[in-house]
Amino acid sequence: NAGVTQTPKFQVLKTGQSMTLQCAQDMNHEYMSWYRQDPGMGLRLIHYSVGAGITDQGEVPNGYNVSRSTTEDFPLRLLSAAPSQTSVYFCASSSGPYNEQFFGPGTRLTVL
Amino acid sequence: RKEVEQDPGPFNVPEGATVAFNCTYSNSASQSFFWYRQDCRKEPKLLMSVYSSGNEDGRFTAQLNRASQYISLLIRDSKLSDSATYLCVVRASGNTPLVFGKGTRLSVIA
């Protein structure tokens, strides 16, 4: 199993550009989440999903969209990138609400 | 009051030392508790779950105090490889998302 994979590993964007961060898992997990991690702020939840077709907002959803058309994939879309979205983004999945959450290796995004 | 609070450290300890971290949580309805470990520029990984009766995994012991709403992590006989950031994680119930503390940085020195 590859576990949770994320692409790209690094990305530089200009203000106003849009892009999609990809996340996939091959563990048949229902639960998937997107976090951003900034220095001194810890991990903050952006959006999450408890199954295909179901998504919900986390603590910091503004400026981001998600969809969950399959169990395996949970892409995160930045609609119009801003410098405040410079961060490290982690995708995570788990088989249930009380089970271990597995993280992907992260995407380091810089918005100029 | 933040949902999950941790002392950011850093805790600088010599090899072989015993070190303890505490974490407090504000939601008294919280039901699930975990410690995750994050190495520099890596993703977080589960270190251990925390059970009501306390639990041990080798050199690591986790305890939960529901009355005072805190959990603790004790590391005995610290190794250089224990150097990392330790994240306290809490879940209220059911499908509610995990809430992460900001982490406590540990540096074990030779």
Side-chain angles (χ1 to χ4, degrees):
Chain A
N1 285 354
V4 180
T5 57
Q6 291 183 238
T7 55
K9 283 190 168 54
F10 302 92
Q11 183 71 50
V12 179
L13 292 178
K14 293 181 180 175
T15 297
Q17 286 185 312
S18 62
M19 80 159 293
T20 299
L21 307 186
Q22 301 292 345
C23 174
Q25 50 89 12
D26 60 0
M27 297 175 282
N28 202 33
H29 285 172
E30 292 294 329
Y31 289 73
M32 295 187 76
S33 305
W34 274 104
Y35 297 87
R36 60 177 289 173
Q37 189 172 37
D38 304 290
M41 298 295 293
L43 280 160
R44 292 184 291 170
L45 182 66
I46 305 171
H47 286 283
Y48 66 103
S49 169
V50 299
I54 306 169
T55 63
D56 208 344
Q57 295 182 349
E59 181 186 352
V60 289
N62 292 341
Y64 308 95
N65 273 357
V66 291
S67 60
R68 185 93 182 272
S69 55
T70 67
T71 299
E72 294 78 18
D73 301 297
F74 191 42
L76 178 73
R77 278 182 287 279
L78 279 70
L79 309 171
S80 177
S84 60
Q85 293 179 304
T86 293
S87 188
V88 180
Y89 291 84
F90 289 104
C91 178
S93 76
S94 65
S95 57
Y98 300 107
N99 299 342
E100 177 180 358
Q101 190 151 154
F102 293 87
F103 284 81
T107 294
R108 297 181 185 279
L109 175 69
T110 300
V111 182
L112 302 175
Chain B
R1 183 180 171 186
K2 299 235 187 296
E3 286 195 67
V4 178
E5 291 202 68
Q6 296 182 250
D7 181 343
F11 285 63
N12 298 314
V13 303
E15 268 187 296
T18 295
V19 60
F21 310 134
N22 280 343
C23 160
T24 57
Y25 60 94
S26 60
N27 187 346
S28 59
S30 297
Q31 295 187 7
S32 302
F33 309 90
F34 310 90
W35 283 102
Y36 276 69
R37 170 194 169 126
Q38 185 172 23
D39 293 303
C40 189
R41 299 179 74 80
K42 297 286 190 179
E43 71 272 22
K45 293 184 180 177
L46 179 67
L47 177 67
M48 58 197 302
S49 301
V50 185
Y51 303 120
S52 295
S53 54
N55 48 298
E56 191 173 301
D57 183 1
R59 298 181 293 108
F60 299 85
T61 300
Q63 293 199 310
L64 167 65
N65 184 319
R66 286 190 185 272
S68 301
Q69 293 182 209
Y70 77 82
I71 67 174
S72 64
L73 177 68
L74 182 79
I75 306 175
R76 289 181 298 277
D77 190 22
S78 299
K79 311 288 184 196
L80 294 174
S81 57
D82 294 333
S83 297
T85 296
Y86 291 84
L87 306 174
C88 173
V89 186
V90 174
R91 188 196 298 275
S93 63
N95 287 339
T96 58
L98 294 173
V99 180
F100 285 78
K102 294 182 182 180
T104 296
R105 197 150 62 93
L106 171 66
S107 184
V108 181
I109 47 185

